[in-house]
Amino acid sequence: MTAALDALRVVDRLYAAALDTATWPSALDALTQVMRAGHTILVAESDGAAPMVAADRVDDGALAQLICAGGAGLLGPLNFGRLPLSTVVKRSSIVADDQFLRSHYYNDIIRPLNGFNSAFFRKPRAPIGFTLAVCRGREDADFAEQELAVLRTVLPHLTNAVELTYRLAAAPATTPSLAHLMDQLEDGVIVADAAACPRYLNKRAERILAERDGLTVERSGLAAAAGTETRRLRQAITALAVAKNGMVGNGDGAGQRHRLFLERPSLRPPLMLTLVPIARLGMAAMGGAPGVAIFLKELAAPVRVDKTALTDAFRLTRREAEIAAMIGEGCELEQIAAALDLSIGTVRSHLKRVFSKTDTHRQSALASLVRGLAES
């Protein structure tokens, strides 16, 4: 539970940074703390736009040296363009410790940053991509699997925040352009005034409200399923909308946002609401009136796959069924290897046989297939 709450605090700050780029270092600081790291570096890029570089606990001179070295191809296997795509990877899995310690890119570039053990994630530019590096010093232990799992939880929100940062910077301040941008997000977005009356909904938010399952709109404004939750929601909106510079306390020291969980009558997992005061969006959508952006996320229920049914249906071995089930539950190969005490190569060998027996060719297709055997 603590790890989940820590991840949610990072998510709060990431969405705030998307709306106020000056707070990106603060957002990365939250991630550094959760990962118990020494520093964090984010380098984002988009077609036709200047790169965005944000860092926490890194000297500007050392950061500039790192960026220049990366651009010149002097980081060996750690060069941004050579990192694996769309997966969390540790430095120790790319280059062995002894080889790394002897390298000039460690001694000349990484060591001055007090970096040694690192976790990387590289999102391809399509059209907006980024590279994230979370780093620890040589005296610190390498990242454990449970810590990498927290990072994976945060990454979809980091992707949203980076993309929103670029799109807001490039978009003209008009409602149609804003609506188009917000409709690209997977999460719901509501812009509400100080009285909790919505002034803008993206398409995802419209669908969530139309279900009337935990959040809806009444004549008096946004309303939750329970009266007590409605009062808490409206009080938070009013406080954030009217407070000077959005500075209100919310119990986690953030001071500029608020998070609520709304129960759903259908008994589905609750809606998670992240409220952020945003003069920038308020001016575009409401002619300058005080406003609050509300990000809506539907929490997914955990999937539990019936391994016995898998074994019977596809003639899988016990180990193959375990791996197929974990793929269906959303685990990555590194997580599976760690959980089952296997090497990545052994997991891939088992997975290849699972593909053959299930007549699938990709992990996404296999996941869709085995989720049909989820336990009720």
Side-chain angles (χ1 to χ4, degrees):
M1 177 62 78
T2 299
L5 291 175
D6 287 342
L8 288 174
R9 279 192 281 270
V10 176
V11 169
D12 284 351
R13 286 161 174 77
L14 289 173
Y15 282 125
L19 303 169
D20 181 3
T21 55
T23 64
W24 266 108
S26 174
L28 295 182
D29 180 69
L31 180 59
T32 301
Q33 292 184 52
V34 167
M35 295 296 293
R36 293 185 294 174
H39 62 269
T40 300
I41 299 171
L42 174 70
V43 180
E45 55 184 358
S46 175
D47 294 333
M52 180 184 80
V53 180
D56 167 55
R57 308 184 194 187
V58 178
D59 175 77
D60 287 346
L63 178 61
Q65 183 181 15
L66 174 67
I67 299 302
C68 291
L74 300 179
L75 294 179
L78 301 184
N79 276 332
F80 299 153
R82 297 170 64 177
L83 293 172
L85 289 170
S86 303
T87 185
V88 174
V89 59
K90 296 196 293 185
R91 189 276 306 159
S92 56
S93 68
I94 300 174
V95 55
D97 287 0
D98 56 348
Q99 180 184 351
F100 188 55
L101 286 169
R102 295 193 302 268
S103 67
H104 68 82
Y105 51 88
Y106 167 70
N107 288 287
D108 295 343
I109 301 166
I110 307 299
R111 188 174 182 177
L113 290 166
N114 192 31
F116 183 78
N117 291 311
S118 305
F120 299 97
F121 180 83
R122 179 181 168 220
K123 178 188 178 297
R125 187 167 61 186
I128 300 170
F130 64 85
T131 300
L132 177 74
V134 184
C135 310
R136 290 174 174 170
R138 186 180 176 188
E139 69 278 9
D140 299 316
D142 205 352
F143 291 98
E145 178 53 37
Q146 58 265 34
E147 294 170 321
L148 298 181
V150 173
L151 181 58
R152 293 186 187 100
T153 299
V154 170
L155 284 170
H157 301 282
L158 175 60
T159 299
N160 279 346
V162 169
E163 292 183 352
L164 187 56
T165 296
Y166 268 100
R167 287 170 174 163
L168 285 175
T174 62
T175 302
S177 294
L178 176 64
H180 174 74
L181 295 176
M182 293 301 180
D183 283 339
Q184 311 309 308
L185 297 178
E186 293 184 2
D187 294 338
V189 180
I190 299 173
V191 175
D193 62 17
C197 293
R199 295 293 181 253
Y200 165 78
L201 306 170
N202 74 344
K203 290 183 179 178
R204 184 61 183 160
E206 288 177 352
R207 288 195 292 270
I208 293 173
L209 291 177
E211 292 179 349
R212 302 181 65 83
D213 188 18
L215 185 65
T216 188
V217 181
E218 298 177 348
R219 289 187 178 182
S220 55
L222 291 168
T228 54
E229 291 185 335
T230 297
R231 285 191 291 275
R232 287 195 296 119
L233 172 61
R234 294 181 180 180
Q235 288 170 359
I237 291 172
T238 300
L240 285 170
V242 303
K244 183 178 180 180
N245 297 323
M247 295 301 293
V248 297
N250 65 352
D252 67 359
Q256 293 182 337
R257 66 205 129 267
H258 198 94
R259 187 175 59 247
L260 294 170
F261 292 88
L262 301 183
E263 297 299 324
R264 311 183 80 175
S266 67
L267 302 183
R268 286 189 290 173
L271 286 172
M272 184 180 79
L273 278 60
T274 301
L275 288 69
V276 183
I278 34 93
R280 185 174 188 175
L281 289 182
M283 290 177 65
M286 294 179 288
V292 173
I294 305 171
F295 294 89
L296 307 175
K297 187 166 188 64
E298 296 185 280
L299 302 180
V303 175
R304 291 292 178 265
V305 177
D306 187 336
K307 300 181 185 67
T308 302
L310 265 178
T311 301
D312 294 342
F314 301 106
R315 299 184 182 277
L316 303 183
T317 66
R318 179 184 61 82
R319 183 66 82 193
E320 290 167 356
E322 287 178 331
I323 291 172
M326 294 180 77
I327 292 290
E329 291 165 6
C331 297
E332 297 188 13
L333 297 188
E334 293 83 358
Q335 294 173 283
I336 296 173
L340 300 181
D341 195 22
L342 300 173
S343 69
I344 288 289
T346 299
V347 172
R348 288 196 176 105
S349 295
H350 284 300
L351 185 57
K352 185 177 180 179
R353 290 192 289 272
V354 172
F355 283 154
S356 177
K357 292 181 180 181
T358 59
D359 195 26
T360 56
H361 306 283
R362 295 176 300 164
Q363 286 179 225
S364 58
L366 176 62
S368 296
L369 178 66
V370 300
R371 282 172 186 161
L373 298 174
E375 297 174 350
S376 59

